[in-house]
Amino acid sequence: MSKRRVSIEDIARRAGVSHSTVSRALRDNPLISPKVREEIKQLAREMSYVPNAIAQSLLSSRTNTIGVVVTSIADPFFAEVVEGIEQVARPAGLSVVLSTSHRDLEQEIAAIDNFHRRRVDGILVADSRISKQHTKQLIQIAVPTVLINSQAEDQLEMFHSVAIDDRLGAKLAVEHLVSLGHTSIGYLGVGDRSRSNQQRLEGYRIALAEAGLPQIDDWVAINDEDNIRTSDVGTGQKMLSKLFTAEVTGIFCYNDMVTVGALLACQELGISVPRDLSLVGFDGIALSRFVTPPLTTVSQPMLEIGCSAMQMLLDLVQGKSVENLVLSPFLVTRGSSTALRNDHK
């Protein structure tokens, strides 16, 4: 049989004082003298007293928990973002509770509502699809909320945000390929009509225009079957041949997982990377270093995104004013991209 939990009443009985005196002493109430407070705390330690978290949260109206909504726990991008969140949450004494939305708006709203009912102190939502048209559904959410890389064009003003500059990242990718002598550059995107996909496509087009290069429809391959995004690796595998047939010599892919799929397709088709085709990804996930060849990629500072979002949420919980944040990605050059060969020119 399990040992009974030590209660405040047990400590009061042992100390020969009232229940309320022990309760006040443990909460450092100034009505109790410092000497008595320390004696009661020492006794509580000796008796291995563990405070009741639920009771404490009812007293303080704080639960010391943060709700985090991500699209999928299988996506390595979010694993690093959540690590950044925990790096700030843990020292602040906050527990992180995770939920998934699977890029489904209704599941996302349900997860936020569930966290609200569980009385979390704050909510972080990654890749949010929530827009102004959902104001009525979320107006009762009085909990501080921060969006990470929101995918809505018209973000709710009641929420704060941390985002990456997707256009800049796409420009860095294309400018890198241009600097290597490539003039036929493709874009391989996903089909969920997300804001990041649109902005990376825009950045791709801006970089081509600035380099004086043509924009050809066949150089853009977006997997838009039913507008549903399933496997990013599968998308890369499926769409790569369309771009290679269009005779591009370099491809900027929506993210690293799409690039891994494109790399697998190249291996199946006997296309040598980077000898026959240069590939550039986006995100900078750990996996990008370990494939063959290792990926040139536009790296998002994932730990910084998580840390910044959690710090912003912490400031909001403490009643401080905050400003929305846009972080800059940076290019990491590895083995999947190289200078255009003369016989390709």
Side-chain angles (χ1 to χ4, degrees):
M1 198 170 81
S2 62
K3 191 178 176 183
R4 187 177 72 84
R5 189 186 182 115
V6 174
S7 68
I8 283 178
E9 285 87 349
D10 295 330
I11 300 169
R13 210 174 291 119
R14 179 82 68 86
V17 296
S18 69
H19 169 282
S20 60
T21 298
V22 173
S23 180
R24 285 172 178 154
L26 294 176
R27 285 186 284 125
D28 283 321
N29 190 308
L31 291 173
I32 309 300
S33 71
K35 180 175 179 291
V36 172
R37 263 186 275 166
E38 190 45 50
E39 286 173 356
I40 288 172
K41 283 181 183 179
Q42 180 58 37
L43 186 57
R45 284 192 289 271
E46 288 170 7
M47 295 175 71
S48 301
Y49 169 70
V50 178
N52 185 320
I54 296 171
Q56 283 193 324
S57 73
L58 289 170
L59 285 169
S60 67
S61 77
R62 289 276 302 274
T63 59
N64 294 322
T65 55
I66 296 298
V68 178
V69 185
V70 298
T71 57
S72 167
I73 56 171
D75 190 327
F77 173 83
F78 295 116
E80 292 202 45
V81 171
V82 171
E83 176 59 32
I85 289 168
E86 290 209 308
Q87 282 182 11
V88 175
R90 210 178 295 121
L94 298 169
S95 298
V96 173
V97 182
L98 211 57
S99 184
T100 53
S101 67
H102 303 287
R103 297 190 181 89
D104 181 281
L105 178 62
E106 293 308 314
Q107 286 188 48
E108 180 185 334
I109 291 173
I112 293 170
D113 185 55
N114 181 46
F115 280 142
H116 184 243
R117 283 187 280 106
R118 289 176 66 172
R119 299 174 61 251
V120 298
D121 297 333
I123 300 172
L124 293 165
V125 188
D127 271 18
S128 175
R129 264 68 179 164
I130 291 168
S131 63
K132 286 180 179 174
Q133 69 190 76
H134 307 108
T135 305
K136 282 184 181 176
Q137 288 167 276
L138 296 165
I139 198 73
Q140 81 282 7
I141 305 293
V143 179
T145 302
V146 174
L147 307 181
I148 299 170
N149 285 351
S150 171
Q151 297 301 321
E153 285 295 342
D154 54 346
Q155 185 183 303
L156 277 171
E157 285 161 15
M158 59 193 276
F159 295 157
H160 293 80
S161 66
V162 174
I164 198 74
D165 191 333
D166 284 302
R167 281 194 199 90
L168 171 62
K171 284 185 67 182
L172 291 174
V174 177
E175 285 166 0
H176 168 68
L177 290 169
V178 170
S179 74
L180 294 172
H182 295 273
T183 55
S184 307
I185 300 167
Y187 175 68
L188 207 170
V190 291
D192 62 352
R193 301 189 188 281
S194 62
R195 181 168 173 263
S196 57
N197 190 50
Q198 290 167 9
Q199 293 197 338
R200 289 174 201 181
L201 179 56
E202 279 177 31
Y204 158 81
R205 286 178 170 148
I206 291 167
L208 288 183
E210 288 180 354
L213 295 176
Q215 297 190 31
I216 297 173
D217 290 344
D218 286 349
W219 290 358
V220 175
I222 293 179
N223 182 24
D224 55 6
E225 277 186 8
D226 306 319
N227 299 325
I228 294 171
R229 182 169 163 196
T230 49
S231 162
D232 287 353
V233 172
T235 294
Q237 281 181 291
K238 178 184 172 186
M239 307 301 288
L240 182 279
S241 60
K242 178 182 185 291
L243 288 176
F244 193 69
T245 304
E247 298 185 341
V248 299
T249 61
I251 299 174
F252 163 48
C253 300
Y254 170 75
N255 66 15
D256 290 339
M257 296 303 279
V258 170
T259 317
V260 168
L263 201 55
L264 290 173
C266 286
Q267 289 170 358
E268 290 163 11
L269 297 167
I271 300 166
S272 173
V273 176
R275 186 175 179 274
D276 300 329
L277 183 67
S278 286
L279 298 176
V280 181
F282 197 113
D283 280 349
I285 59 172
L287 177 66
S288 66
R289 301 196 301 270
F290 305 123
V291 293
T292 305
L295 301 182
T296 294
T297 185
V298 175
S299 184
Q300 297 199 52
M302 290 168 278
L303 281 175
E304 187 185 346
I305 289 170
C307 288
S308 298
M310 186 61 232
Q311 187 57 56
M312 184 180 287
L313 191 60
L314 205 54
D315 289 345
L316 287 168
V317 168
Q318 293 168 355
K320 298 176 184 174
S321 61
V322 301
E323 287 187 12
N324 291 342
L325 194 59
V326 178
L327 299 171
S328 297
F330 54 93
L331 184 76
V332 178
T333 307
R334 299 198 188 102
S336 67
S337 61
T338 194
L340 183 67
R341 288 178 19 232
N342 288 328
D343 58 347
H344 274 277
K345 291 181 181 177

